[in-house]
Amino acid sequence: MVNLVSGGLDSTLVGVLAHEEGLHTHPLFIDYGQHSAEMEWETCQQVHAHLELSTPVKMDLSGFGRVIHSGLTSDELNVKEDAFTPGRNLLFLLVGSTYAYQVGASNISIGLLAERFSLFPDQRNEFIEKAESAIEVA
């Protein structure tokens, strides 16, 4: 399983639960040009080492954030009011699935808010279902 990781609680918990179930994980950290990329990456590495989880791999897609502006990628926008980053979760799923193909994994995990708490259209079930269909074809 490819686990899309950020160093945060959700993706770490998925890694711990998978480890406890005896599943082999391939943690993948994606630097998409977010402000906190270095801090997230350092935290991710430390947490995985401390918990004796598989070592995460970092994929540098920081050019995405230089072109696609949001509060998470641009100093000119407000992180709270402008947090939606168009295409980010689709990018994560596409990259995660292509990495899964390369390492022979059949599943990927991504941490999204429950639909009733979702703030953005790419956190909803309809998005996930359509993304899965597109990835299957690709």
Side-chain angles (χ1 to χ4, degrees):
M1 172 182 73
V2 169
N3 185 17
L4 298 171
V5 295
S6 64
L9 181 61
D10 295 341
S11 59
T12 301
L13 181 59
V14 169
V16 168
L17 293 174
H19 181 73
E20 288 177 354
E21 291 293 320
L23 299 173
H24 182 69
T25 61
H26 302 272
L28 179 63
F29 176 88
I30 301 171
D31 176 347
Y32 63 93
Q34 69 272 41
H35 291 301
S36 58
E38 283 307 311
M39 183 177 62
E40 289 176 15
W41 173 236
E42 289 173 20
T43 301
C44 189
Q45 293 176 93
Q46 291 171 4
V47 166
H48 277 74
H50 178 75
L51 296 174
E52 299 179 358
L53 299 174
S54 299
T55 304
V57 170
K58 180 180 181 182
M59 184 174 289
D60 184 355
L61 301 176
S62 56
F64 181 82
R66 286 192 294 276
V67 176
I68 307 304
H69 297 252
S70 78
L72 302 177
T73 62
S74 172
D75 292 330
E76 297 170 10
L77 298 172
N78 183 286
V79 70
K80 291 181 182 177
E81 296 171 12
D82 303 308
F84 178 61
T85 308
R88 181 183 73 151
N89 287 339
L90 185 58
L91 175 71
F92 289 172
L93 291 173
L94 178 61
V95 168
S97 64
T98 54
Y99 183 59
Y101 180 84
Q102 290 294 303
V103 298
S106 58
N107 298 299
I108 63 172
S109 67
I110 183 171
L112 301 174
L113 292 173
E115 185 157 356
R116 65 185 176 140
F117 299 112
S118 68
L119 302 172
F120 310 122
D122 62 354
Q123 295 176 321
R124 298 192 177 109
N125 289 337
E126 180 184 13
F127 164 76
I128 296 296
E129 291 167 4
K130 289 182 177 182
E132 285 177 346
S133 295
I135 289 167
E136 264 184 43
V137 174

